[in-house]
Amino acid sequence: MSTPILATKLYVPLPRPKVVSRPRLIAQLNEGLHGKLTLISAPAGFGKTTLVSEWLATLGAGSPLGRAWLSLDEGDSDPTRFLAYLIAALQTITANLGEGVLAALHSPQPPSIEAMLTTLLNEIATSPNDFILVLDDYHTLDAGSPLSAVDQALAFLLDHLPPQMHLVISTREDPQLPLSRLRARGQMTELRATDLRFTPAEAAGFLNQVMGLNLSAAEVTALETRTEGWIAALQLAALSMRGRKDVAQFVKDFTGDNRYIVDYLLEEVLRRQPERLRNFLLQTSVLDRLSGPLCDAVTAQNDSVALLDALERGNLFVVPLDDNRHWFRYHHLFADMLAAHALQEQPAQVPLLHQRASAWYAANGLPADAIRHALAAQDFARAADLVELAWPAMDGRFQAATWLGWARALPDELVRTRPVLSTAYAWALLNGGELEAAEARLRDAEQGLESAAAPANGAEMVVVDEVQFRTLPASLATARAYQAQARGDVSGSIQYGRRALDLLPAHDHLRRGPAAALLSLAHWANGDLEEAHRMLADAMANFQKTGNLNFAISGTYGLADIRITQGRLREAVKTYTQVLQFVLAQGEPLLRGTADLYWGLSELYHEQGDTDAATQHLLHSEALGEQAALPNSMHRFYRIQARFKQAQGDLAGALDLLDKAERDYHRTPVPDVRPLAAWKARVRVAEGRVREALRWVQEAGLSVDDEPSYLREFEHITLARVLLAEYGRNPSGPTSHEAMRGAMRLLDRLLQAAEAGGRMGSVIEIRVLQALAHQAQGQDTPALVALQHALGLAEPEGYVRIFVDEGLPVARLLSAAAAQGMMPDYTGKLLAAFATPEAETLPRPGGTQNKADLPLASPAQLLIEPLSARELEILQLIAQGLSNGEIGARLFLALSTVKGHNQNIFAKLQVQSRTEAIARARELGLL
């Protein structure tokens, strides 16, 4: 970030020496300080910036109210850049505010904007003083976009705005913010064009006092009426009238709509300027900001400082941007008109002007502006050079989206001749999840390398960044491994990953790290867990050797998850704990991925039944915020939260969190071995919504006859759960036995595959489901045998929730196992973990069991598929004696819908009539 440019953005415009007093507007602005937002929205030329600067000046230097200013332009549409400037503006009030966020922003793996805003807002909330933040020219951000990333960030800021802070937005068009909500709550003050227009009195003061004219009241009224109080038009008119003897005739001839008036006046203003100054205005119209050296470079002259001074003194629409008068800008309306006239009068010269600006910006270390002007000049070769050179730094700052916008503006035929640029283009697309779009760019780069100096289109290969070119084959192979793995092509990922490692020297740990990590992920997806663990550990060690600690800890989740799949919970805990100790030893700021470590430990402690530790670690991760999490990892956090909600019986909350996880999930090379859709199907089974779970089975293309595989093992186990629930709906139904047979056959095959692959975590779950299947069929002995196998594997690792989450059926089995002396210490621990009051009546180890010992279960526990809320409502109306038609009328349901609910209720209660349903419901305490 260039210091001169930054200074201009944070500069509060000085009030003009002679201004029109506007007490009515100043009073409105003062009154608006009680709310969150002041919105000043009007077309160009209505004096928005001038009004705000005058208002701030009226507050006085002795006011305790702090003031910060940020002038925006289209380059600030990048949320990372916007947040950096926002913090810089706030630091003009409170030094060091947001320093931690700035450090995170420039880290190799910055947090999400929302997470960093949360941290910033927490810091602001501790500020002892109130302050105003002005965002000027907000309309320049992502013009034409329906909802920009900055809009979303600002909406989040407004939703959580601390009381110390008041936001002022000056814009030509309404931003995409929750204005209606703020308006309804009385939290917003609005000033619009109708408010900002000069009144006749204000127009008179402006024309006669500020602009030095001597117009009659009638002439002022005529101009004010014809311009409708539009300040810019009045200013243009006043400039045109200076030195005229026929002012009355000018006012009389001043007619027409605004567009034609403006065109006429601009021509009048330009025509009256000296040729030298007129040319300067047109030539520098291509610039957003003006300085002497920059204007000298663009105009090929050496007197720009003097000309800028003359423009300011002549009040010719230049606005100073710093106290030293080194940087200026044209009034936006004036700049737009100058640019239009430059294109009309000097169309051939405009590209040359942009080229000169690009060269100056590049020489002064401002690549973004250099690229923008090169593109405006349609000097695509120069732009491609600059874009190629900018990639490494921007990729390191996670600004791929901005970079991609530039790359997309380049002609395809030009990109194809540049293998380094094509490869960077492909990586930018891969980072954004555009796997298919990256394919063409990868092919271009590969063909460019193959044809070397004679690409297929006949043009010579162009390389600007020689450093990147030397390792291009390895970079391409790594990109191919990424793409293949994200697409599910495991064998292709392995092939490309090995090729990348073969191309890189053993000492190049930085570049070998990603390739080795991708290769380990391919082995993981293939079910080769030990090799995957070894390779991933090596890759993380290589990252640590290069000092890239963020990457060094990024694979911890994978290492631990592999151990969890293998049923080695204690090793998984050790993995997370050791890395967490290492991270904490590094001090502040915490590395990206620290929150992930707390999540992982929380889930493991939850499984082991240590509720206090699980809760503590989850709360700690929430306190750290998203900025301490790895990119694209929040879906795991939401999934873990969903598990906790489900364990607490809040199934609706669990589904909401899983929906949130799905929205956050993006395709990456990390194997998706437990798809979120399967998790949702499990929750629906727990809710009793078996039909919805069955629809998921069909959509996922699952069958009991599928060949077992590691990647789909979780889904197939979920399928078995759905089939068992289908059997439980109506054990005597015509399809129930088929469902049970399918589930039993599938579980047997899954068990064999999981045991062969060393996936003992899956084996334990499968054994528990086999026990439940036998129990549902009244087969007590095989049920206990299956349970005993599960207990034997689970006890050394401290599993708890894998049994407890199955509810009362497993509690009954554990009670029976305890009565037979089966692993008494462990079964006692598990029985004690059941949170239901009924579990307290279950026999403990060493006791005897009879029917009196069996607990009275709650309805949700005795019913394999609980009644939904709607079904319970209809059951209540049935008990009241209402007919189906009366129930439909009461609940606004069709008769066929009521009958369908009745059938579901009868099936779940295992009854055949209304009378039996009422009796059964009363037995269960449902009525």
Side-chain angles (χ1 to χ4, degrees), residues 217-539:
E219 289 168 339
V220 170
T221 300
L223 287 175
E224 192 278 331
T225 300
R226 289 166 187 166
T227 61
E228 297 185 38
W230 184 22
I231 301 171
L234 286 169
Q235 185 174 12
L236 286 167
L239 289 172
S240 298
M241 285 186 286
R242 281 181 175 175
R244 280 184 177 272
K245 295 181 179 179
D246 56 345
V247 171
Q249 187 62 40
F250 176 89
V251 172
K252 181 179 178 181
D253 294 339
F254 189 69
T255 59
D257 63 41
N258 282 349
R259 181 166 61 88
Y260 296 112
I261 290 171
V262 170
D263 288 344
Y264 172 77
L265 289 176
L266 180 58
E267 182 63 28
E268 283 289 312
V269 172
L270 282 178
R271 190 166 55 197
R272 292 177 176 276
Q273 304 308 317
E275 185 68 18
R276 176 177 164 220
L277 189 57
R278 186 173 184 275
N279 285 334
F280 179 85
L281 288 169
L282 293 175
Q283 290 174 338
T284 56
S285 66
V286 301
L287 301 172
D288 292 333
R289 291 180 175 82
L290 313 167
S291 73
L294 173 57
C295 292
D296 281 346
V298 170
T299 63
Q301 301 294 327
N302 58 7
D303 56 353
S304 297
V305 172
L307 290 175
L308 287 170
D309 182 61
L311 288 175
E312 185 186 12
R313 284 187 286 103
N315 204 23
L316 279 173
F317 295 99
V318 292
V319 180
L321 294 175
D322 60 14
D323 291 324
N324 297 319
R325 296 305 203 263
H326 290 160
W327 286 90
F328 299 84
R329 68 166 174 85
Y330 290 126
H331 182 281
H332 296 309
L333 179 63
F334 191 61
D336 292 342
M337 293 175 180
L338 283 176
H341 275 262
L343 284 172
Q344 291 174 7
E345 296 189 12
Q346 305 171 355
Q349 190 182 26
V350 170
L352 175 62
L353 299 173
H354 280 295
Q355 286 177 324
R356 291 172 178 172
S358 176
W360 187 89
Y361 278 121
N364 284 272
L366 297 165
D369 293 294
I371 291 169
R372 182 168 54 82
H373 280 284
L375 290 173
Q378 296 191 356
D379 187 350
F380 295 120
R382 174 179 179 79
D385 291 351
L386 294 168
V387 170
E388 181 174 316
L389 290 169
W391 169 250
M394 294 194 71
D395 182 40
R397 293 195 297 267
F398 286 84
Q399 293 178 323
T402 298
W403 187 93
L404 192 58
W406 298 331
R408 291 189 200 275
L410 299 172
D412 282 352
E413 59 271 18
L414 184 67
V415 176
R416 291 192 190 103
T417 66
R418 298 167 177 258
V420 174
L421 180 59
S422 293
T423 303
Y425 202 155
W427 270 114
L429 291 166
L430 290 173
N431 289 342
E434 299 183 52
L435 306 180
E436 289 72 23
E439 174 62 31
R441 300 304 168 189
L442 290 173
R443 283 201 305 268
D444 290 341
E446 290 162 348
Q447 290 171 4
L449 282 180
E450 290 171 2
S451 54
N457 59 11
E460 291 188 0
M461 180 177 69
V462 178
V463 174
V464 181
D465 194 328
E466 293 288 348
V467 174
Q468 290 187 78
F469 182 71
R470 285 196 290 271
T471 58
L472 197 60
S475 181
L476 281 167
T478 306
R480 284 293 189 186
Y482 184 108
Q483 183 190 48
Q485 179 64 24
R487 285 175 166 175
D489 179 6
V490 177
S491 61
S493 182
I494 292 175
Q495 174 188 346
Y496 285 115
R498 287 174 175 166
R499 181 181 176 188
L501 290 177
D502 289 341
L503 290 169
L504 291 166
H507 65 270
D508 193 351
H509 299 302
L510 181 62
R511 292 179 176 83
R512 288 179 67 87
L518 287 166
L519 197 54
S520 73
L521 297 181
H523 283 288
W524 183 5
N526 232 11
D528 189 357
L529 301 184
E530 278 303 322
E531 181 65 8
H533 191 279
R534 183 191 65 78
M535 293 195 70
L536 186 56
D538 289 346

Side-chain angles (χ1 to χ4, degrees), residues 863-926:
L863 292 176
I864 295 178
E865 184 182 2
L867 298 182
S868 68
R870 176 64 83 182
E871 289 163 352
L872 284 169
E873 187 176 18
I874 291 175
L875 181 60
Q876 294 281 350
L877 296 178
I878 290 174
Q880 294 174 25
L882 272 66
S883 67
N884 289 342
E886 290 170 333
I887 293 173
R890 175 80 62 90
L891 301 178
F892 301 99
L893 298 175
L895 182 61
S896 59
T897 302
V898 176
K899 290 180 177 179
H901 282 304
N902 286 347
Q903 291 174 1
N904 290 340
I905 293 169
F906 292 172
K908 292 179 180 181
L909 297 179
Q910 302 179 36
V911 298
Q912 302 296 323
S913 69
R914 283 179 159 228
T915 303
E916 291 178 1
I918 294 170
R920 178 65 171 154
R922 285 173 176 160
E923 288 177 8
L924 297 173
L926 294 174

